[in-house]
Amino acid sequence: MKVFCGRANPTTGSVEWLEEDEHYDYHQEIARSSYADMLHDKDRVFKPMADAAVKIVEKNGFSDKIKIINKHSTEVTMGPDGDMPCRANILITELFDTELIGEGALPSYEHAHRHLVQENCEAVPHRATVYAQLVESRRMWSWNKLFPIPVHTSCGEQVIVPPFELERCPGAPSVYDIQLNQVSSADFTVLSDVLPMFSVDFSKQVSSSAACHSRQFEPVASGRAQVVLSWWDIEMDPEGKIKCSMAPFWAHSDPEELQWRDHWMQCVYFLPQEEPVVQGSSIYLVAHHDDYCVWYSLQRTSPEKDRRVYPARPVCDCQAHLLWNRPRFGEINDQDRTDQYIQALRTVLKPDSVCLCVSDGSLLSLLAHHLGAEQVFTVESSAASYRLMKKIFKANHLEDKINIIEKRPELLTSADLEGKKISLLLGEPFFTTSLLPWHNLYFWYVRTAVDQHLGPGAVVMPQTASLHAVVVEFRDLWRIRSPCGDCEGFDVHIMDDMIKRALDFRESKEAEPHPLWEYPCRCLSEPQQILTFDFRQPVPPHLIHAEGSIELRRPGRSHGAVLWMEYHLTPDNTVNTGLLKSAEDKGDCCWNPHCKQAVYFFTMADPRAPLGGPQTVSYTVDFHPHTGDITMDFSLSDTLDDGQ
């Protein structure tokens, strides 16, 4: 049976209806779930997916001992005719996320103790403890605040300043979970020891009510308190002999035995405002939580003594944290990147330039104004981005200098542009709806739609774009696509087969976005240009096709191809969203930290496969102009082992 599914196309900007198999959502959910990564975690207690659990139990000979109840725990009934005949005396759960409580662990435990288990039952895990460490970090703080941006012009230095509302805004309410082990120690200064903030004993009644926990400490260094790094550990048994820790390497009891995980990482929390701290001068770090979220504050006196009103859960009221995610903040604050656009603008701007800027929440319009454009228009398609840009223009006294239009750019009229023809069309390009690198090709479709508004000899920047690829060996990320086979003595091939069927349904032919600065890998080939796109011309009506092969120059296991976009602002100035450099000898990769790259996994990788493998990777890549989709297929040749 087929069903029609509506989707907003991030590349063309249109809403389209597609005919899909009725189980498409089901297959997609399984294929992208990374369940295999959880089972590869040797420390972890887990509950398999319900629809595979029955078959796995049966295959392993436990059908007479294990009953699968396919319900949320709060819906389980008790009694002779219920799901459970009596209350349990052991509670085994896995309800945790990177923040510990973000998946509803507290209310679920609270309900279980009240309705499903005996008093004084044993719980596995037995206890969890949340830890925190206060740091100063310009890099991490740049993920939360807009920094002043200097612009060197012919009239001297101009500075783009953030609005007051943005400076005082406490930020987004959600935690930023990342692979903290990939943040260089040079990027932050430790201001406190690791502090145990609070613990939860899962064998006793748990409360989901809001609470706070304070820890007095003396800073180990003076500096600006900006960020709280946090993680947790769980003790499986009452004695704490079996422990599973999410600590980063510098705080781990045994860094050599550090277990890689992608389902549980570490947390970055931003204080509402940065505060100075002095080495040796005692202060209090306070962890607040409700039933689902954790946040932190810094206080000079004991919260218990002064009985002050505790800070509420942070909520963005400046619009910026709703429009820009954390990597986008970092991208806008990257002065080197800004200088690239400034340099390119200097080469294309003229005193009589009429500019139209098309990118979501971009500062390009301010750069164009400061660098001497006669008139600047900018288009914001959402109410949130429109309000934010109005605030930024007002803070910089440009509200009557830059014309902001709240409209989808495809719908622009001559009246919107005051009857003028555009001589310079600008884009970063960046659009909030983009998930994969090539989704920002929406700029090309906008360029095509506004063609009638471009004057003779109009310049488009970027002039062109190109799609690039490199074959890599991942240090760890391959685990999310690797079959488990056997897990702690249990045969879970049934789940492997289910995931493989879901992947074969479609996902095996699609790339998925990953921020690869968090996931170390080695280049096995040199980067190769695959497709080019000429923004100086409208989108062509015909397919853009490329096929060829990539030669592998380093030994290793070919886990997949990584793809990214490069935007050529001018012939001499390129903004790279992907591979910035690779070490010549080992091939270690350095990726753009502000962007997600696209990963096309070759197969469900087998870590035991021999080194070596294919000598070449063949590819076919097509850009479909009517849908904006890029389809691709990569195949390995001269493979030593099909499982590789």
Side-chain angles (χ1 to χ4, degrees), residues 157-177:
E157 183 178 86
Q158 302 287 332
V159 179
I160 300 173
V161 298
F164 174 72
E165 297 97 318
L166 202 158
E167 288 189 309
R168 66 171 176 77
C169 180
S174 57
V175 64
Y176 189 23
D177 53 338

Side-chain angles (χ1 to χ4, degrees), residues 151-224:
V151 183
H152 297 282
T153 74
S154 58
C155 300
E157 183 178 86
Q158 302 287 332
V159 179
I160 300 173
V161 298
F164 174 72
E165 297 97 318
L166 202 158
E167 288 189 309
R168 66 171 176 77
C169 180
S174 57
V175 64
Y176 189 23
D177 53 338
I178 65 171
Q179 296 283 358
L180 200 52
N181 288 317
Q182 300 309 315
V183 177
S184 170
S185 57
D187 284 331
F188 62 93
T189 300
V190 170
L191 300 180
S192 77
D193 294 325
V194 176
L195 306 172
M197 296 304 300
F198 63 92
S199 295
V200 182
D201 187 336
F202 300 122
S203 68
K204 299 177 180 178
Q205 181 63 56
V206 173
S207 172
S208 62
S209 299
C212 71
H213 311 269
S214 65
R215 288 291 178 268
Q216 185 178 16
F217 71 98
E218 293 184 358
V220 298
S222 297
R224 293 174 298 168

Side-chain angles (χ1 to χ4, degrees), residues 390-462:
K390 290 280 282 188
K391 292 177 182 178
I392 293 176
F393 294 160
K394 184 176 181 180
N396 289 274
H397 310 291
L398 297 176
E399 60 265 46
D400 58 348
K401 303 279 197 334
I402 299 176
N403 301 74
I404 181 169
I405 305 166
E406 185 182 0
K407 181 179 284 189
R408 290 194 62 83
E410 306 97 315
L411 304 178
L412 281 175
T413 65
S414 179
D416 294 324
L417 301 174
E418 301 176 359
K420 297 185 177 180
K421 291 293 185 179
I422 300 301
S423 58
L424 178 57
L425 177 63
L426 298 175
E428 297 187 30
F430 171 84
F431 302 99
T432 56
T433 54
S434 297
L435 298 176
L436 292 165
W438 46 86
H439 286 167
N440 283 321
L441 287 175
Y442 173 55
F443 177 75
W444 202 8
Y445 289 83
V446 171
R447 179 260 176 268
T448 303
V450 302
D451 190 63
Q452 60 181 315
H453 302 302
L454 301 182
V459 174
V460 179
M461 191 186 97

